[in-house]
Amino acid sequence: QVQLVESGGGLVQPGGSLRLSCAASGSIFRLNGAGWYRQAPGKERDLVASITLGGRINYADSVKGRFTISRDSGTVYLQMNSLKAEDTAVYYCNAQVMNTVYFTEYNVWGQGTQVTVSS
């Protein structure tokens, strides 16, 4: 019923910036905690940043000082600055979605957006 759609990925040079968006669509829901994950070829999917409904934020050590996560009512953003080649990965949005009728929470994943950092 609820889908997450990522956008904003692309090809950038080292030192460049991108802003990823994760839009939640559907009905009868509230976006609770959310996060961005990434998965490079041949590697595991790792947490990049997370944000709670109350605004508590955590970052992976590898992106602190470069990435910023934020949110509004139905969209989660990831501002990525000073990008490095090792940031190249598919970036996935994940969210805990609350059904506002039954107040049950579900974990939802987006399909991912490719970020490539290369000269």
Side-chain angles (χ1 to χ4, degrees):
Q1 185 175 1
V2 176
Q3 293 182 324
L4 302 179
V5 180
E6 300 98 334
S7 62
L11 174 64
V12 297
Q13 294 183 341
S17 297
L18 285 173
R19 190 190 192 212
L20 306 183
S21 297
C22 172
S25 63
S27 60
I28 316 175
F29 77 94
R30 184 184 71 190
L31 189 66
N32 287 344
W36 286 95
Y37 293 72
R38 67 186 182 186
Q39 187 168 22
K43 303 190 70 175
E44 297 180 353
R45 186 176 298 185
D46 294 322
L47 177 68
V48 176
S50 63
I51 185 168
T52 68
L53 181 63
R56 178 170 52 84
I57 294 172
N58 288 310
Y59 295 103
D61 288 341
S62 59
V63 306
K64 286 182 178 178
R66 300 188 298 120
F67 291 10
T68 303
I69 190 170
S70 61
R71 62 176 292 165
D72 59 24
S73 59
T75 306
V76 184
Y77 306 94
L78 186 68
Q79 178 67 46
M80 305 185 295
N81 298 326
S82 302
L83 284 162
K84 306 174 181 179
E86 50 263 43
D87 295 318
T88 296
V90 177
Y91 284 70
Y92 297 90
C93 181
N94 175 260
Q96 294 74 56
V97 178
M98 176 73 75
N99 183 301
T100 53
V101 174
Y102 300 106
F103 289 90
T104 53
E105 192 175 69
Y106 300 89
N107 188 55
V108 182
W109 287 93
Q111 293 299 306
T113 184
Q114 177 70 48
V115 172
T116 303
V117 185
S118 177
S119 299

